């Protein structure tokens, strides 16, 4: 009987692919699995932007003005939803070269669960805050 059960379960061995580790550190430079995951998740919203080799600043809060760590955003704002087959609410805000320099080197802002769009005034405020944090050594 055990042998029959083993043969019945044999095709299932190896079918479950291990999920790549996502958001396990707070380095704003995304790993390749994180980049591929976000590229796939935001494929309809990112136009020509790709996450590969990009430094991302993660924001949350109702107006998108709370600077978050990458691990916290993945753990609380992204993975609980995607593991249930749902899509988390994310807004991608690519930065210009000048904005990238002012922010301390970030390529884009990724806002999670913000109720408001990031308008020009708030965007500049967040870029300024990120730049100040980077100069102070508070953000990598």
């Amino acid at each position: 009987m055990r042998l029959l059960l083993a043969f019945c379960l044999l095709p299932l061995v190896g079918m479950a692919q291990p999920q790549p580790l996502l958001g396990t550190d707070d380095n704003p430079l995304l790993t390749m699995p994180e980049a591929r995951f976000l590229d796939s998740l935001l494929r309809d919203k990112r136009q020509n932007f790709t996450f590969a080799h990009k430094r991302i600043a993660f924001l949350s809060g109702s107006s998108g003005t709370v600077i978050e760590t990458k691990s916290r955003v993945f753990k609380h704002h992204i993975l609980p939803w995607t593991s249930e087959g749902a899509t988390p609410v994310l807004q991608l805000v690519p930065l210009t070269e000048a904005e990238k320099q002012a922010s301390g080197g970030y390529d884009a802002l990724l806002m999670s669960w913000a109720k408001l769009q990031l308008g020009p005034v708030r965007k500049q405020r967040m870029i300024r805050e990120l730049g100040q944090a980077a100069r102070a050594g508070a953000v990598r």
Side-chain angles (χ1 to χ4, degrees), residues 37-79:
F37 180 80
L38 290 172
D39 277 341
S40 174
L41 193 61
L42 295 168
R43 69 181 154 271
D44 297 332
K45 297 179 183 178
R46 61 183 174 83
Q47 289 92 24
N48 294 329
F49 186 88
T50 61
F51 286 93
H53 311 292
K54 298 292 193 320
R55 291 186 75 225
I56 305 298
F58 294 89
L59 307 176
S60 70
S62 60
S63 58
T65 55
V66 177
I67 299 172
E68 295 277 11
T69 63
K70 177 173 69 172
S71 61
R72 180 165 167 48
V73 169
F74 271 95
K75 182 178 180 181
H76 296 287
H77 300 264
I78 297 176
L79 295 177

Side-chain angles (χ1 to χ4, degrees), residues 8 12 20 45 50 67 78 80 84 93 96-97 112 115 123 125 129:
C8 290
L12 298 178
K45 297 179 183 178
T50 61
I67 299 172
I78 297 176
E84 297 292 325
V93 182
T96 65
E97 193 57 41
S112 62
K115 295 178 182 176
K123 179 180 178 185
R125 179 178 142 218
E129 283 186 32

